[in-house]
Amino acid sequence: MTRAGQGCPSIPGGAVAEDDEATVNRGYSADEPFPLLIAVTPSPAERIRLAELLDGIAPLLLVADLDELRRLIAAPQQAAAPSEPTPVAALVIDSARSSARCGNREIDLTRLEHDLLTCLITEPARVWSYAELHRSVWGDEGRERKADVQSLVKRLRRKLHDLGTKATIDVVRGVGLRLTDHQQARVERA
């Protein structure tokens, strides 16, 4: 066997070649190592010449540069095994009990949290302005304090996270708030 760097009269640059004829003529099983020749050259003509010259010696990998080689031989990322999609539990607002449920979890809601979440769920595609939410939840005409709404939303987001629902309240910059991942959310009234 000729090693890289020692040179090989028929292979320029001293590439590795397997001279053992027994190795060339036998099949390779997946359980045992096998020789692989790797040639790195930016010249397409040189890669073609090497492929013709080394044909039949061993499996051959021809690459243009070391970056390409690194990408090809890097350890593959473990792909997640395909699994059954898990059904998403619906977010349910129970108005009679002033609570929210998702799956087997339940949390209590204050009156303000209940009213804000009910607004967002009843018109899910709508982006609510801070002023509209303040009027709907607090019932105050003319007192449109953005800080009140932001504080309430912060508490409500935490509760939704603890509940384990995918529904959350997102800010639409310059416009207001909306409920996202609301496809299965609903309000139950007594």
Side-chain angles (χ1 to χ4, degrees):
M1 176 193 260
T2 307
R3 301 219 179 266
Q6 294 177 340
C8 179
S10 62
I11 303 173
V16 178
E18 182 70 38
D19 292 336
D20 183 11
E21 191 165 324
T23 303
V24 172
N25 292 330
R26 74 179 165 144
Y28 302 109
S29 75
D31 297 336
E32 62 184 80
F34 61 89
L36 173 67
L37 297 175
I38 300 173
V40 180
T41 179
S43 166
E46 186 66 20
R47 287 195 296 270
I48 291 170
R49 192 175 80 68
L50 285 172
E52 291 170 352
L53 182 66
L54 300 173
D55 187 36
I57 292 179
L60 179 61
L61 176 61
L62 298 166
V63 293
D65 57 32
L66 290 177
D67 289 333
E68 182 181 7
L69 177 61
R70 285 184 191 106
R71 283 190 305 272
L72 290 172
I73 64 173
Q77 299 294 325
Q78 289 291 351
S83 61
E84 297 282 326
T86 56
V88 178
L91 171 64
V92 179
I93 307 304
D94 187 340
S95 293
R97 298 179 55 195
S98 192
S99 66
R101 285 192 315 275
C102 184
N104 60 356
R105 293 182 179 174
E106 185 172 353
I107 57 169
D108 292 327
L109 299 171
T110 67
R111 183 194 66 80
L112 294 175
E113 292 167 344
H114 172 271
D115 292 352
L116 177 71
L117 201 50
T118 300
C119 281
L120 296 172
I121 288 176
T122 54
E123 294 186 54
R126 179 178 173 184
V127 178
W128 292 73
S129 72
Y130 288 96
E132 290 169 327
L133 285 171
H134 201 283
R135 280 192 301 275
S136 296
V137 174
W138 280 267
D140 295 342
E141 287 296 327
R143 275 192 73 206
E144 300 164 358
R145 296 184 44 207
K146 187 176 178 179
D148 291 342
V149 177
Q150 289 173 329
S151 177
L152 184 59
V153 166
K154 182 178 178 181
R155 289 193 314 265
L156 199 48
R157 279 181 179 148
R158 192 176 318 120
K159 284 188 175 184
L160 290 173
H161 179 268
D162 292 345
L163 191 58
T165 180
K166 293 196 181 277
T168 188
I169 301 168
D170 278 351
V171 174
V172 178
R173 187 173 297 211
V175 181
L177 301 166
R178 71 173 170 204
L179 188 69
T180 59
D181 258 352
H182 52 73
Q183 289 83 5
Q184 297 179 2
R186 67 181 188 276
V187 177
E188 291 180 350
R189 302 187 193 278

